[in-house]
């Protein structure tokens, strides 16, 4: 069969110009997160299929690339269902693998454990602008820290990184699962309907408050509940301080500790932030993953419709592996969207090494080549980037091309 | 079903101490290769299954992790063979994806194109010491350079990198596919038997010359051929200059250009090398992959039985994609083996940032937390690594643990 020149459908080759930006962004991310005491770790790209399909991953579980069993384990004739054919799957995020990692190695890790992961994840999604089926995620997580010190450090580390990459005037939207629940309870929704209500609320960005109202009605909820519910959001939006407003109105439905927690996060982040951004309380923020248990947050960039990353607290996930809950909170940067924004803004990587190209004329004697290369070796030792290439017939064109790659100095070696 | 705490069979989680070394080694590799004008690129971890199973990959093609088709494309009831179930596979090396990449993007790339790839590959091998089913490879390749300038630069770049990582007294073994063939032809083997002969010769490291002799006899080759063949190796090994010896003996079987080519590579590498290593001509070197067409080379470390990397010229592979051959030569470092050697030697990453831990006593007022974090933010801006954590009841133990992670300064914040 003929070989295929294109990358597999929905995944992409990365060309040198983009790669340079990706490498630079990764370096900034790593250096900044390290300064906050986060430690890089890595997990395999494949996970046991049971870990990926236990209903923690929401919609992502429908998008798993599954890996065929091998050798004797694979029996096509007796296989009845997909499950008989598959043992591993490609990870769809870095959070499930981290929970597995921690449950396996907790004794060898410090407590609290501040993890940094940069790695590819896979989702068999319909490809669209800026969304690929293999993409990079950058996650930081703090495991074993129940207090809001975790949220504060995660938000500061992430925003400091974004600031160093030149992003300004973005927002960090923050909410709390317990506020979401209190608002639903106060309005009269019963607990088994929360998920349905939140899925609809999550569409706010796209369909607006009127759309949410309509969909709630279509889902069969009584008009009185819907009125009471949407009035809460309108009230919070109008109030100078949305959290205090909701604390007043919701009364016993919302624990005082949740309110204090949110206020402390806001106070610390606002007084310690180094980047130009706004921390905004957004009671409509839901975030899809069902594993969140407390605070949730999201990065909103004015240049980009939709989120450029997010995270939250998921205190119950590690317990699924070990039977014993461990406090956990994480923040993930939407690496691919950040790269897309930088590419579109014409971003240039700062501080390049000096780049020189040596052009060697055709027929240059083999025994003299060593001298040219020795000279290149010396310059490289001194921190320069030196490219040694054969001189083309059309030398002018060759130099123009090399200039596009950033080579500014040329040294020519002629055959005479 | 219960969740699985362990990584999938044959793959591994990377703990912080190893990760620190891996990150450091990657940085050294990238910086050094960049100084030689290599440009980082990336391809997806999955390839079309046809690209992975067209007999270029030798034994590796038996070890492919295959990815199940998705959605409507997957029809379990009509599926007869594995091929009906699978469309993608995990790449088993970085060379096949590079050839595909180049054939797809040549118009957008400089010529010659010097590519650097660092990425994971997958092989469903039986796991053993230092060998995992997901592992990192670091490849440099020069595409579009037919002359031995490619080999010289590849060997110098790779050995410079190994030298910077502290490796001494290693060997680069070099051979040429055309020398291998000339020796077989001269001895009287017919062309259709070359592959069988080379597979046996490739076991020299393990079974020695006597073993090779025996296996050739078992394969049914006449004693006279075997005598003539093995005498060649013994003669070359005794000679002061193995290549000149073979050039004399093989006469018309070996082209003069092949001999000059090898001598030029040796002369340039020996006079320009910056690391302490020996370039050794080894006529028994075969290397498994059938795609090699010219020079082949391998890294041999005294500390490690077997190869720590290798490569060679493969001038025909890109033509498989495009119908038009492009000169190509590459060198791959065995990243995982390098890491293993560094871990076993107690390697310490040089130049760490100053690491300070702030310990905050339990009950420290939330409204004063911001001051502590602001202080940490300032130190981080000045290049320090600052960890802000809650103080444990057993503070002495906590500090001991933190010292193990490299924290030397402690600042304590008490609740009074």
């Amino acid at each position: 069969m003929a070989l295929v020149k294109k990358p597999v459908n929905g995944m992409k080759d990365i060309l040198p110009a983009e790669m340079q930006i990706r490498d630079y962004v990764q370096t900034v991310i790593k250096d900044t997160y390290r300064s906050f005491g986060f430690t890089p770790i890595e997990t395999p790209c494949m996970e046991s299929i049971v870990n990926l399909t236990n209903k923690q991953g929401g919609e992502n579980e429908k998008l798993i690339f599954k890996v065929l069993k091998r050798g004797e384990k694979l029996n096509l004739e007796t296989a009845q269902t997909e499950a008989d054919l598959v043992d591993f799957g490609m990870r769809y995020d870095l959070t499930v693998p981290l929970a597995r990692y921690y449950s396996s190695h907790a004794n060898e890790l410090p407590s609290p454990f501040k993890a940094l992961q940069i790695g590819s994840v896979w989702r068999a999604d319909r490809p669209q602008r800026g969304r690929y089926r293999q993409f990079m995620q950058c996650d930081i997580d703090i495991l074993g820290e129940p207090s809001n010190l975790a949220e504060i450090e995660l938000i500061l580390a992430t925003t400091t990184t974004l600031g160093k990459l030149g992003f300004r005037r973005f927002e960090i939207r923050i909410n709390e699962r317990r506020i979401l629940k209190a608002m639903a309870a106060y309005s009269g929704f019963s607990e088994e309907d929360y998920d349905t209500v939140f899925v609809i609320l999550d569409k706010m960005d796209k369909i607006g408050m009127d759309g949410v109202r309509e969909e709630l009605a279509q889902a069969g909820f009584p008009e009185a509940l819907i009125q009471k519910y949407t009035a809460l959001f309108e009230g919070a939006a109008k109030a100078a301080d949305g959290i205090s407003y909701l604390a007043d109105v919701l009364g016993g439905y919302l624990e005082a500790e949740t309110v204090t927690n949110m206020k402390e996060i806001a106070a610390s982040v606002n007084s310690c932030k180094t980047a130009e951004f706004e921390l905004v309380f957004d009671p409509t923020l839901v975030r899809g993953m069902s594993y969140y248990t407390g605070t949730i947050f999201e990065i909103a960039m004015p240049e980009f419709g939709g989120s450029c990353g997010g995270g939250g607290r998921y205190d119950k996930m590690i317990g699924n592996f070990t039977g014993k809950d461990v406090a956990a909170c994480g923040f993930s940067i939407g690496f691919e969207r950040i790269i897309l924004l930088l590419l579109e803004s014409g971003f240039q990587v700062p501080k390049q090494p000096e780049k020189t190209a040596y052009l060697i004329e055709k027929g240059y004697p083999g025994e003299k080549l060593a001298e040219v290369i020795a000279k290149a070796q010396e310059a490289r030792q001194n921190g320069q980037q030196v490219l040694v290439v054969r001189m083309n017939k059309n030398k002018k064109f060759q130099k123009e091309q090399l200039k596009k790659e950033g080579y500014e100095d040329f040294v020519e070696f002629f055959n005479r």
Side-chain angles (χ1 to χ4, degrees), chain A:
Chain A
M1 226 198 297
L3 298 183
V4 183
K5 290 204 279 182
K6 281 193 181 173
V8 297
N9 186 23
M11 304 189 194
K12 75 168 181 169
D13 289 330
I14 300 178
L15 291 169
E18 177 176 342
M19 196 67 201
Q20 200 184 30
I21 294 178
R22 294 174 78 92
D23 273 345
Y24 171 76
V25 171
Q26 271 202 40
T27 305
V28 171
I29 287 174
K30 277 192 185 173
D31 290 349
T32 310
Y33 284 163
R34 275 208 199 98
S35 79
F36 281 79
F38 289 94
T39 305
I41 65 156
E42 254 178 44
T43 66
C45 298
M46 294 177 197
E47 284 287 329
S48 296
I49 196 76
V50 288
N51 291 358
L52 299 175
T53 51
N54 80 325
K55 306 211 171 73
Q56 295 181 105
E59 290 296 301
N60 293 330
E61 296 199 352
K62 297 181 187 154
L63 306 174
I64 298 169
F65 281 99
K66 292 168 183 163
V67 178
L68 204 67
K69 289 182 182 175
R70 296 145 308 280
E72 290 164 9
K73 287 186 193 160
L74 181 69
N75 192 330
L76 271 185
E77 277 163 31
T78 62
Q80 303 277 321
T81 66
E82 213 181 87
D84 298 324
L85 298 171
V86 161
D87 52 357
F88 304 162
M90 303 304 292
R91 62 187 180 197
Y92 56 74
D93 76 2
L94 300 176
T95 307
V96 173
L98 174 68
R100 184 196 54 69
Y101 176 100
Y102 189 79
S103 71
S104 189
H105 304 286
N107 290 338
E108 305 157 74
L109 299 172
S111 178
F113 181 51
K114 299 178 81 171
L116 161 60
Q117 295 181 91
I118 303 182
S120 291
V121 304
W122 289 262
R123 294 181 195 168
D125 226 334
R126 208 173 292 274
Q128 50 180 285
R129 173 178 179 272
R131 186 178 286 185
Y132 291 92
R133 298 165 101 189
Q134 171 179 331
F135 56 98
M136 190 79 94
Q137 280 198 337
C138 291
D139 283 19
I140 44 174
D141 292 87
I142 305 180
L143 307 180
E145 174 54 69
S147 85
N148 58 22
L149 181 56
E151 280 86 343
I152 295 165
E153 287 274 272
L154 288 168
I155 294 171
L156 287 175
T158 302
T159 55
T160 300
T161 301
L162 292 173
K164 283 193 183 164
L165 292 172
F167 289 99
R168 305 267 174 283
R169 284 176 298 282
F170 56 94
E171 284 182 1
I172 301 291
R173 296 192 187 147
I174 186 167
N175 196 12
E176 243 272 6
R177 282 265 164 169
R178 288 175 293 180
I179 295 179
L180 271 175
K181 286 181 183 171
M183 290 172 78
Y186 167 86
S187 307
F189 292 103
S190 48
E191 206 165 336
E192 65 266 28
D193 290 330
Y194 287 180
D195 280 346
T196 314
V197 174
F198 297 158
V199 167
I200 294 171
L201 181 64
D202 201 15
K203 301 182 188 168
M204 181 73 85
D205 269 356
K206 284 172 200 149
I207 61 176
M209 185 61 89
D210 285 343
V212 168
R213 227 186 295 261
E214 230 166 81
E215 290 208 13
L216 286 172
Q218 276 163 15
F221 295 111
E223 188 56 29
L225 266 67
I226 300 176
Q227 277 303 338
K228 201 169 174 190
Y229 193 48
T230 51
L232 274 181
F233 291 102
E234 285 158 353
K238 273 185 216 143
D241 173 357
I243 293 178
S244 298
Y245 168 84
L246 287 175
D248 280 351
V249 177
L250 298 176
Y253 287 94
L254 186 60
E255 285 174 26
E257 186 249 318
T258 306
V259 175
T260 314
N261 180 43
M262 290 287 278
K263 287 190 173 176
E264 280 181 9
I265 293 171
S268 282
V269 167
N270 284 323
S271 68
C272 300
K273 67 184 181 187
T274 58
E276 284 177 41
F277 73 96
E278 293 291 324
L279 184 73
V280 179
F281 170 59
D282 178 359
T284 72
L285 183 70
V286 175
R287 294 196 59 76
M289 312 297 248
S290 54
Y291 52 64
Y292 289 120
T293 56
T295 42
I296 42 180
F297 25 81
E298 207 163 84
I299 307 166
M301 291 275 176
E303 304 92 329
F304 198 89
S307 144
C308 285
R313 186 168 277 281
Y314 53 101
D315 286 347
K316 302 285 178 191
M317 195 196 281
I318 294 167
N320 288 342
F321 284 92
T322 59
K324 200 184 150 203
D325 288 339
V326 173
C329 196
F331 206 145
S332 175
I333 287 186
F335 185 82
E336 302 294 341
R337 297 183 182 189
I338 297 297
I339 297 296
L340 193 69
L341 290 175
L342 290 176
L343 280 169
E344 285 177 352
S345 71
F347 178 80
Q348 292 288 325
V349 170
K351 273 194 298 176
Q352 299 265 21
E354 205 179 310
K355 290 171 89 171
T356 306
Y358 289 6
L359 305 182
I360 304 171
E361 200 183 22
K362 210 158 194 166
Y364 196 84
E367 67 275 12
K368 279 176 65 187
L369 190 63
E371 291 167 32
V372 176
I373 295 173
K375 196 175 143 79
Q377 286 286 81
E378 204 186 314
R380 288 162 180 163
Q381 299 272 38
N382 296 330
Q384 278 185 51
Q385 179 170 326
V386 182
L387 180 75
V388 182
V389 287
R390 300 284 172 184
M391 194 182 289
N392 289 351
K393 271 188 191 159
N394 189 342
K395 191 172 71 178
K396 196 169 156 243
F397 180 74
Q398 187 181 18
K399 283 188 178 175
E400 278 165 16
Q401 296 304 108
L402 287 169
K403 277 183 188 161
K404 284 187 193 156
E405 289 177 65
Y407 289 96
E408 299 213 323
D409 290 330
F410 298 96
V411 187
E412 302 178 4
F413 298 88
F414 294 103
N415 177 28
R416 64 184 99 96

